[in-house]
Amino acid sequence: MAPHPDFPRFDMTAIDLSLARSIDAFALEDVTFRPEVAEDAAAIDAIHDVTFGPGRYSRTAFRLREGHAPDGPTSLVAVYRGSVIGSVRLTAIAVGETPALLLGPLAVLPALKSLGVGKALMRLSMEAARQRHHRLVVLVGDFPYYWPFGFRVVPAGRVELPGPVDPARLLWAELTPGASEGVAGLVRAIGPAV
Ligand SMILES: CC(C)(COP(=O)(O)OP(=O)(O)OC[C@H]1O[C@@H](n2cnc3c(N)ncnc32)[C@H](O)[C@@H]1OP(=O)(O)O)[C@@H](O)C(=O)NCCC(=O)NCCS
C-alpha cells in the first residue's frame, strides 16, 4: 500500500532490528505508557502493517472503526527508547442504543513480543475506561488472551456487527457489574469523524 502523503513511511524493519538487538536489556519498567497523540499515527500504522498485514483493511472491526477517531483518554501507546513499540485503540460505539467502547487493534512490535507490553496496555486502557465511567467494552479477538481482563463470549445473537465475525471471538467485558444486561443490537461507531 502506498504511504499516506501526510505520514512518512516508517522503516519498521530497521526499528524492529535495532530494538531486537537491545532486547536482552529490555525491562518493562523502562516502557512509558501514555495516551496516543496525533503524531503517533504513522508509527502505529507501521506496527499494524507488520503485525496484521494488509488483510486488516477488510476485517469487520477495521471497517467499523474506519473514519472515526480513537477514544483519546483510553487509547494508549507504549514507548521504549523513544519509539512507539505497542498500541491499543478504543473507539466509541453504540450496541443498539447502549454506548460502549470497541477495543482494538492491540498490537506490539514482534521483536518485543511476549514481554508483558500487550498485557500492560490492556490493563491500563481498561483502567482508563473504568475511570472515565465507561460501562462496557466489546472486542473481536482471541478469548484465551482477553479473558483475564474480564472478557467473556457475547451470548449468541445479542450483538450484530456490520460484517462477518466468528461468534467465538466476539467478546465483551462489563466494567460495571450488570452492564451487559439487556444490551443487544447492531454495533455502530459513534465517535468523532476523522
Ligand atoms: C497479541 C499481542 C498483542 C500480545 O502482546 P505481547 O506484548 O506480545 O504479549 P504479552 O506479554 O502481553 O502476553 C504474552 C502471553 O500472551 C499469550 N498470547 C499471545 N497472543 C495470544 C493469543 N492470540 N491467544 C492466546 N494467548 C496469547 C502468550 O502465549 C503469552 O503467554 P504467557 O504469558 O503464558 O507466556 C502481540 O503478540 C501482537 O501484537 N500480536 C499480533 C497482533 C494481534 O494478534 N493482536 C491481537 C488481536 S486478537
Side-chain angles (χ1 to χ4, degrees):
M1 191 176 191
H4 189 286
D6 296 338
F7 296 107
R9 193 70 165 171
F10 268 58
D11 184 354
M12 192 44 75
T13 313
I15 293 174
D16 214 19
L17 287 175
S18 97
L19 285 169
R21 276 194 287 274
S22 66
I23 206 163
D24 287 344
F26 179 88
L28 197 54
E29 295 75 40
D30 297 332
V31 178
T32 307
F33 297 89
R34 60 161 173 79
E36 175 185 340
V37 294
E39 291 71 25
D40 298 322
I44 293 169
D45 199 40
I47 293 174
H48 292 168
D49 250 357
V50 291
T51 50
F52 298 107
R56 69 187 187 277
Y57 296 111
S58 59
R59 291 185 184 195
T60 297
F62 177 91
R63 300 194 71 83
L64 183 58
R65 289 185 293 259
E66 198 173 20
H68 293 270
D71 179 62
T74 56
S75 298
L76 307 178
V77 290
V79 180
Y80 178 64
R81 299 192 172 183
S83 298
V84 174
I85 58 160
S87 152
V88 61
R89 279 180 167 160
L90 291 91
T91 306
I93 56 166
V95 183
E97 295 309 314
T98 307
L101 290 171
L102 179 71
L103 188 147
L106 167 71
V108 175
L109 213 52
L112 297 169
K113 206 173 164 168
S114 288
L115 295 171
V117 177
K119 287 178 183 173
L121 283 166
M122 279 304 299
R123 188 174 51 76
L124 293 169
S125 63
M126 295 291 279
E127 263 175 38
R130 213 170 267 117
Q131 278 170 13
R132 296 268 160 176
H133 308 294
H134 293 286
R135 291 165 51 82
L136 190 65
V137 181
V138 178
L139 66 78
V140 180
D142 294 334
F143 175 72
Y145 187 78
Y146 291 105
W147 78 264
F149 304 101
F151 284 87
R152 301 293 177 260
V153 176
V154 173
R158 288 276 292 279
V159 171
E160 191 191 335
L161 274 85
V165 168
D166 177 354
R169 289 170 52 79
L170 181 55
L171 314 177
W172 62 16
E174 294 182 339
L175 302 183
T176 303
S180 69
E181 278 169 25
V183 176
L186 182 67
V187 176
R188 63 196 158 86
I190 57 171
V194 284

